[in-house]
Amino acid sequence: MFKEAKKIIDKSNKIYISAHVNPDGDAIGSTLAIYFGLKKLGKNVHVVMPSYSNVFSFLPGVGDCVNSIEDEEYDLLIALDSSDNTRLAISEEEYNNARKVIMLDHHQISNPYGDFRYIDDSKSSASEIAYLFIKALKIEIDKDMATLLYAGIMTDTGSFNYNNTSSDTHRIVADLIDYGAETVNVCKRLNDTIKEAKLKLIAKTIDNMEVFYNGKMRYSFIPYEEIKSLGIDDEDAEGMTNYLRSVEGTEVAVYVRGKSDGTNKVSMRSGGNVDISKIAISFGGGGHPRAAGYTMKDSEDIEKQKLIKVVGEML
Ligand code: 5GP
Ligand code: MN
């Protein structure tokens, strides 16, 4: 499965690993697990992660991440959890400076890139693929790597609740627990702890909620000024969509947050009857049938009307 990738790794020394911008637990877990693995092979390896939510700072290796790729040329880029190379947390120039690129991803709709690609949308997460990749390279998984992979799988499966969770996922997680994954701590830090400002953000999300199509669609927009006034930064302002989706009868939940760069970011969740990846793609974004997103190109009021119409047609 990873034979060609292994050949590329064998020939590479200077390696960078990256994932999508605004990294989630899966992006962080998968990249850093491979980082620790390749260090064991004696590689000169770095993870490029210019910004991330500080809820992840407790994870091993997060402090080792670098902001950019300073080398003019390097042997290999390993890209994880990013269906599109333009979503990677590196510049086009940094991408082009790689002699080889390995792409590992689990998104359904994808613009494949790189010299070696492994894309499997039946896998729960990039971290599940990273586990298989590390195993194929015959690298021993230690406690830190197990904790990282566990964090990635746990977050991308909604704590093993989403339908991307397979029996294989559970078998892999069982292995990770045997390797010493700190499951209780990961759950406590990522599921059970929020800042007070985040609690206020939840209140604001509910306050701003608008309801359409007899409760089948829920929409909440929080302008950047409101997010800023709560003292929340871009990375910490996400994660509100599930609250909207969890309301009885909701088919499509939409949470829109203003960002510090002036754009409005759309995060959507589906109850299962509407494939929202199609909607996101039609607006220039992407994702999975039940979790997708995009950045608004027009003003929020215009984009909202367009979205309400499209959702109505799909309901
Ligand atoms: P979230 O709502 O958690 O930000 O994103 C859910 C999923 O939608 C992500 O896993 C990702 O696959 C996809 N997604 C969100 N925003 C974008 C975007 O701007 N472009 C693309 N291609 N996919 C996105
Ligand atoms: Mn992922």
Side-chain angles (χ1 to χ4, degrees):
M1 196 157 65
F2 294 111
K3 229 169 116 192
E4 290 306 311
K6 190 173 184 313
K7 279 188 199 158
I8 297 175
I9 300 263
D10 286 344
K11 285 190 195 137
S12 304
N13 179 44
K14 196 173 247 318
I15 301 174
Y16 285 92
I17 308 173
S18 195
H20 57 82
V21 287
N22 196 8
D24 54 11
D26 187 31
I28 291 176
S30 60
T31 52
L32 283 168
I34 293 182
Y35 161 75
F36 281 121
L38 293 182
K39 281 221 298 196
K40 290 187 184 195
L41 296 183
K43 305 291 182 188
N44 179 350
V45 57
H46 297 284
V47 172
V48 194
M49 196 82 78
S51 69
Y52 50 84
S53 163
N54 60 16
V55 302
F56 298 117
S57 350
F58 78 99
L59 285 168
V62 168
D64 297 355
C65 292
V66 298
N67 292 330
S68 58
I69 301 176
E70 299 300 334
D71 298 283
E72 294 275 301
E73 259 184 64
Y74 57 100
D75 299 322
L76 173 64
L77 172 73
I78 303 177
L80 286 133
D81 205 29
S82 189
S83 57
D84 194 320
N85 64 349
T86 61
R87 274 198 92 211
L88 288 168
I90 58 172
S91 70
E92 195 181 335
E93 191 188 342
E94 290 170 316
Y95 179 86
N96 290 333
N97 285 343
R99 288 192 193 93
K100 292 274 179 201
V101 175
I102 290 177
M103 172 198 187
L104 307 174
D105 187 38
H106 73 115
H107 290 89
Q108 192 158 42
I109 314 287
S110 158
N111 292 318
Y113 54 91
D115 304 281
F116 173 89
R117 298 157 192 174
Y118 180 91
I119 305 163
D120 184 352
D121 66 16
S122 76
K123 296 285 186 282
S124 66
S125 51
S127 297
E128 192 173 324
I129 296 171
Y131 170 91
L132 300 174
F133 184 73
I134 289 164
K135 281 280 181 182
L137 294 177
K138 303 214 160 34
I139 301 168
E140 207 174 308
I141 296 179
D142 61 27
K143 188 184 178 71
D144 284 349
M145 292 161 74
T147 298
L148 287 158
L149 293 171
Y150 181 85
I153 297 173
M154 188 204 77
T155 49
D156 251 32
T157 58
S159 301
F160 318 105
N161 287 309
Y162 300 157
N163 69 348
N164 61 358
T165 313
S166 67
S167 57
D168 280 340
T169 313
H170 282 287
R171 274 185 281 272
I172 289 170
V173 164
D175 274 351
L176 296 175
I177 293 171
D178 287 342
Y179 290 129
E182 294 193 312
T183 58
V184 173
N185 193 37
V186 168
C187 175
K188 181 168 165 30
R189 300 295 290 256
L190 298 181
N191 288 349
D192 256 4
T193 313
I194 58 168
K195 293 184 185 121
E196 189 179 327
K198 192 108 180 185
L199 190 67
K200 290 182 175 159
L201 184 67
I202 296 170
K204 198 131 242 166
T205 304
I206 298 165
D207 231 27
N208 293 3
M209 180 179 75
E210 296 173 72
V211 183
F212 304 97
Y213 307 117
N214 293 319
K216 290 199 174 84
M217 177 180 183
R218 284 167 200 279
Y219 180 101
S220 181
F221 169 53
I222 310 197
Y224 179 64
E225 304 77 69
E226 289 187 25
I227 288 172
K228 200 176 159 203
S229 73
L230 291 174
I232 293 179
D233 54 27
D234 282 336
E235 285 80 20
D236 277 332
E238 57 182 26
M240 294 297 110
T241 329
N242 281 335
Y243 295 105
L244 303 170
R245 201 226 49 219
S246 64
V247 181
E248 212 176 4
T250 306
E251 294 288 351
V252 177
V254 186
Y255 165 64
V256 185
R257 63 187 167 93
K259 286 175 57 176
S260 55
D261 65 5
T263 62
N264 290 316
K265 176 84 195 168
V266 180
S267 165
M268 294 194 290
R269 295 290 180 274
S270 164
N273 290 328
V274 177
D275 181 349
I276 52 172
S277 66
K278 291 194 180 122
I279 301 178
I281 288 165
S282 75
F283 282 93
H288 310 273
R290 298 172 79 133
Y294 59 94
T295 298
M296 287 181 165
K297 297 203 164 65
D298 229 323
S299 67
E300 189 270 331
D301 48 339
I302 293 174
E303 291 268 348
K304 178 172 91 178
Q305 294 312 324
K306 279 196 239 169
L307 180 60
I308 292 169
K309 192 161 170 280
V310 173
V311 169
E313 285 159 7
M314 292 192 68
L315 279 170

